[in-house]
């Protein structure tokens, strides 16, 4: 195995191992606390970026911010006016496959940023690292 492949593998397994250690040492409640804190930090950052924006501008900003974090977002408006927000990649998929709190916190983040709209998770595949929501 090349050094680059080994390094990439380590980068994807270390966070999962870290979360497993937290759970083993302190319990599942501390894992949830870590994800909640992560969500609150992201929420503050995103709210600052979205301040004063219209609904559509906030959606566009969310897509760009998530894209910058590696989620590879596709944002489309359907004929009925509903927006489809698809994350074709999840940089924390390995962690999320073991700890579904990660996906729940992300959904809670989206709902809090768009409390003026109905936000539905329509598809989550932790194995494939994909998620979709409608706004």
């Amino acid at each position: 195995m090349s050094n680059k492949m080994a390094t990439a593998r380590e980068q994807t397994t270390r966070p999962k191992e870290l979360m497993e250690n937290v759970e083993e040492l302190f319990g599942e409640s501390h894992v949830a606390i870590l994800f909640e804190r992560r969500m609150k930090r992201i929420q503050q950052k995103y709210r600052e970026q979205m301040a004063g924006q219209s609904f559509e501008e906030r959606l566009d900003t969310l897509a760009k911010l998530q894209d910058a974090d590696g989620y590879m977002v596709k944002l489309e408006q359907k004929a009925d006016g509903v927006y489809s927000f698809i994350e074709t990649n999840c940089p924390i998929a390995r962690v999320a496959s073991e700890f579904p709190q990660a996906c729940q916190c992300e959904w809670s983040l989206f709902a809090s940023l768009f409390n003026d709209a109905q936000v539905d998770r329509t598809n989550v595949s932790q194995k494939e690292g994909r998620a979709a929501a409608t706004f």
Side-chain angles (χ1 to χ4, degrees), residues 2 42 44 58 62 83 87 98 116 128 134:
S2 75
I42 294 169
Q44 181 178 353
R58 285 183 290 143
L62 177 62
Y83 287 88
E87 296 174 331
E98 182 93 13
D116 56 343
E128 294 177 18
T134 56

Side-chain angles (χ1 to χ4, degrees), residues 58-132:
R58 285 183 290 143
L59 265 178
D60 188 56
T61 297
L62 177 62
K64 287 176 182 172
L65 290 167
Q66 288 290 94
D67 206 47
D69 283 340
Y71 287 88
M72 300 171 65
V73 174
K74 291 181 183 177
L75 179 61
E76 302 170 348
Q77 186 176 16
K78 299 178 184 180
D80 61 1
V82 172
Y83 287 88
S84 176
F85 187 94
I86 302 166
E87 296 174 331
T88 61
N89 182 60
C90 177
I92 62 167
R94 286 193 182 209
V95 172
S97 69
E98 182 93 13
F99 301 97
Q101 302 97 316
C103 295
Q104 180 58 39
C105 282
E106 181 183 68
W107 182 85
S108 295
L109 169 68
F110 291 175
S112 74
L113 295 171
F114 294 90
N115 58 5
D116 56 343
Q118 181 175 336
V119 181
D120 294 313
R121 287 301 280 229
T122 57
N123 183 18
V124 176
S125 176
Q126 292 154 340
K127 183 178 178 183
E128 294 177 18
R130 297 174 154 247

